């Protein structure tokens, strides 16, 4: 086994780290405070060819692998999770279904603009009655004169309501199968389609500079050819998309934990109490050491999941393990970072305050911790 990154991976890490430190860090606090979507940063991500990292060059992507994607997401989340989730949701959830299951016409129409970051993609799975029970989709799509007529609602959807949002791929009931079970299919709905409305953005605990809002579909008509993949394959398709998405979210957890450790160590070396730097106290050293050790383990688990996917091997179990591990780690690491900062950790001017608020969602989104435990247990044969 070779644990060293390739020259290309190291160059990418350096490039994204420089961009995050020089261009994201100076504005991250203001974007969070004002809840402003980072249009300029997304444009720059597109210019750096980071909005389509794992997709082939022939469809407009960077032609890199999943490990490169995980590294980039990690470096972004180390500085700001709102920017990281914007790229992550766009790539893993918004673009991936069209790349994996789209028709040649759909791929030709949407992938070049999505992979360039000119447009953002979204994925509409979660509903008021379909969260962890993702198969309990209530949104319906009925064929009528060569068009799908969509009625229903989605919630907690990322990237669907910005000025550069291009489309959303949604799950919907399209009938029943031969055994009378609910038939679920994926359908592409472009922004601007009559009957498709994006609701008011949520007031969130964290990820304040990212776009998250409910969606409604009322007699929304799209052409029959907007079906993504075979009719009735929607359930299998979104399970595959979620597996891939967990690698990106795991990388976010690693990056956020690393950012919290960086800030905590820097503060501990600057802050003095009882005549010396607080980093010299064993109580502080123990916190730093434990978090650093957990990050090293979580990073390897996340990279292993990316490696397995790139090798075209089954990665579902490891991706779920990585997502479970890193979400919990991000919560712990940010909490310890706030604790090391003391009262200053509770002040918004310090990044660890934002990090702490941003961490909790990593144990909920892309499948809760409890869902990850179910996936893992089933893979073990329990």
């Amino acid at each position: 086994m070779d644990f060293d990154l390739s020259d290309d991976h190291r160059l990418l890490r350096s490039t994204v780290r420089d961009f995050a430190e020089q261009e994201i860090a100076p504005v991250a606090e203001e974007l969070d405070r004002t809840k402003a979507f980072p249009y300029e940063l997304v444009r720059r991500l597109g210019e750096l060819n980071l909005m389509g990292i794992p997709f082939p060059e022939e469809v407009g992507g960077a032609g890199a692998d999943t490990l490169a994607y995980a590294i980039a997401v990690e470096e972004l989340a180390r500085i700001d999770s709102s920017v990281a989730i914007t790229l992550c949701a766009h790539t893993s959830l918004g673009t991936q279904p069209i790349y994996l299951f789209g028709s040649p016409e759909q791929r030709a129409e949407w992938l070049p603009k999505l992979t360039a970051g000119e447009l953002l993609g979204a994925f509409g799975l979660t509903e008021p009655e379909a969260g962890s029970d993702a198969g309990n989709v209530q949104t319906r799509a009925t064929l009528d004169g060569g068009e799908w007529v969509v009625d229903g609602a989605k919630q907690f959807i990322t990237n669907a309501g910005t000025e550069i949002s291009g489309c959303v791929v949604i799950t919907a009931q399209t009938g029943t199968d031969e055994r009378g079970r609910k038939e679920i299919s994926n359908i592409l709905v472009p922004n601007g389609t009559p009957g498709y409305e994006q609701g008011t953005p949520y007031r969130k605990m964290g990820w304040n500079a990212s776009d998250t809002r409910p969606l409604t579909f009322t007699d929304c008509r799209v052409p029959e050819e907007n079906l993504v993949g075979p009719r009735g394959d929607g359930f299998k398709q979104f399970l595959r998309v979620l597996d891939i998405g967990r690698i990106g979210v795991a990388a976010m957890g690693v990056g956020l934990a690393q950012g919290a450790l960086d800030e905590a160590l820097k503060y501990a070396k600057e802050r003095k109490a009882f005549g010396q730097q607080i980093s010299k106290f064993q109580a502080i050293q123990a916190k730093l050491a434990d978090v650093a050790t957990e990050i090293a383990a979580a990073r390897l688990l996340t990279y292993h999941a990316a490696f397995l996917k790139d090798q075209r091997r089954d990665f579902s179990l490891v991706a779920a393990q990585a997502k479970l591990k890193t979400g919990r780690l991000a919560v712990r690491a940010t909490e310890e970072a706030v604790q090391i900062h003391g009262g200053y950790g509770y002040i918004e001017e310090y990044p660890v305050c934002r990090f702490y608020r941003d961490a909790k969602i990593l144990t909920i989104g892309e499948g809760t911790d409890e869902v990850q435990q179910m996936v893992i247990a089933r893979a073990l044969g329990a």
Side-chain angles (χ1 to χ4, degrees):
M1 292 184 289
D2 185 358
F3 290 95
D4 290 328
L5 295 177
S6 69
D7 290 342
D8 286 343
H9 287 133
R10 285 197 296 270
L11 176 60
L12 175 68
R13 181 176 63 185
S14 176
T15 299
V16 180
R17 180 172 296 182
D18 288 346
F19 168 73
E21 292 178 346
Q22 295 172 14
E23 300 191 39
I24 299 177
V27 298
E29 186 276 331
E30 180 183 0
L31 290 172
D32 176 79
R33 174 168 43 81
T34 60
K35 299 177 173 57
F37 187 79
Y39 286 104
E40 179 60 23
L41 293 175
V42 172
R43 184 187 66 81
R44 289 285 292 125
L45 288 170
E47 290 177 351
L48 292 169
N49 210 16
L50 298 176
M51 295 297 280
I53 293 174
F55 303 109
E57 294 179 357
E58 55 263 32
V59 299
D65 57 14
T66 310
L67 179 56
Y69 170 59
I71 290 169
V73 171
E74 177 185 343
E75 290 299 327
L76 293 174
R78 178 173 159 265
I79 300 299
D80 183 64
S81 291
S82 288
V83 174
I85 190 56
T86 298
L87 178 141
C88 201
H90 166 76
T91 303
S92 297
L93 302 180
T95 307
Q96 197 72 246
I98 300 173
Y99 172 69
L100 290 176
F101 314 117
S103 66
E105 292 77 16
Q106 290 168 348
R107 287 160 60 103
E109 178 179 0
W110 292 102
L111 289 182
K113 292 183 179 180
L114 291 172
T115 55
E118 295 176 15
L119 295 177
L120 288 178
F123 186 54
L125 172 62
T126 304
E127 298 184 0
E129 301 299 326
S132 293
D133 184 9
N136 191 34
V137 174
Q138 301 300 309
T139 297
R140 297 179 180 273
T142 307
L143 271 179
D144 178 37
E147 294 180 317
W148 290 107
V149 183
V150 183
D151 290 281
K154 301 291 179 177
Q155 66 180 14
F156 308 142
I157 308 303
T158 304
N159 288 343
T162 74
E163 295 174 6
I164 56 174
S165 296
C167 64
V168 60
V169 175
I170 65 166
T171 53
Q173 289 188 49
T174 51
T176 56
D177 62 18
E178 64 279 358
R179 298 171 61 181
R181 298 177 303 184
K182 187 183 302 181
E183 177 189 82
I184 299 175
S185 305
N186 285 328
I187 296 174
L188 189 155
V189 182
N191 280 55
T193 302
Y196 167 36
E197 295 184 2
Q198 303 84 43
T200 302
Y202 295 108
R203 295 175 58 212
K204 298 173 293 187
M205 176 190 295
W207 288 2
N208 283 325
S210 72
D211 179 75
T212 317
R213 62 182 76 211
L215 311 178
T216 58
F217 302 87
T218 306
D219 195 28
C220 176
R221 292 176 173 266
V222 296
E224 183 176 358
E225 54 267 26
N226 280 30
L227 183 72
V228 179
R231 179 171 177 171
D233 275 8
F235 190 82
K236 292 188 297 184
Q237 290 173 357
F238 76 64
L239 288 181
R240 185 175 176 190
V241 168
L242 291 177
D243 277 345
I244 296 171
R246 284 168 187 150
I247 298 175
V249 174
M252 284 191 63
V254 174
L256 180 53
Q258 184 66 61
L261 176 62
D262 293 344
E263 292 293 329
L265 178 59
K266 181 176 69 173
Y267 180 83
K269 294 168 72 173
E270 294 172 350
R271 175 70 169 172
K272 289 185 178 181
F274 303 101
Q276 63 178 332
Q277 297 170 332
I278 66 171
S279 63
K280 301 302 181 183
F281 293 111
Q282 287 184 333
I284 302 298
Q285 291 175 344
K287 293 178 184 295
L288 296 171
D290 282 352
V291 170
T293 302
E294 291 294 314
I295 290 173
R299 180 177 287 116
L300 288 175
L301 190 58
T302 301
Y303 286 10
H304 185 207
F307 168 80
L308 289 175
K309 180 181 181 301
D310 288 334
Q311 295 295 311
R312 300 180 184 276
R313 294 161 59 184
D314 186 1
F315 63 92
S316 296
L317 169 60
V318 181
Q321 290 172 326
K323 202 275 182 185
L324 177 65
K325 175 68 176 177
T326 57
R328 291 175 170 178
L329 171 59
V331 171
R332 181 189 175 194
T334 55
E335 181 180 23
E336 293 286 37
V338 169
Q339 193 71 20
I340 289 171
H341 277 69
Y344 290 111
Y346 205 66
I347 304 300
E348 289 286 359
E349 282 75 8
Y350 286 78
V352 294
C353 186
R354 168 167 45 89
F355 291 172
Y356 186 51
R357 290 187 287 100
D358 286 339
K360 183 56 188 174
I361 188 61
L362 296 178
T363 69
I364 300 172
E366 294 273 346
T368 63
D369 281 2
E370 292 75 17
V371 167
Q372 306 313 310
Q373 290 171 320
M374 289 168 49
V375 171
I376 294 166
R378 288 172 182 171
L380 296 175

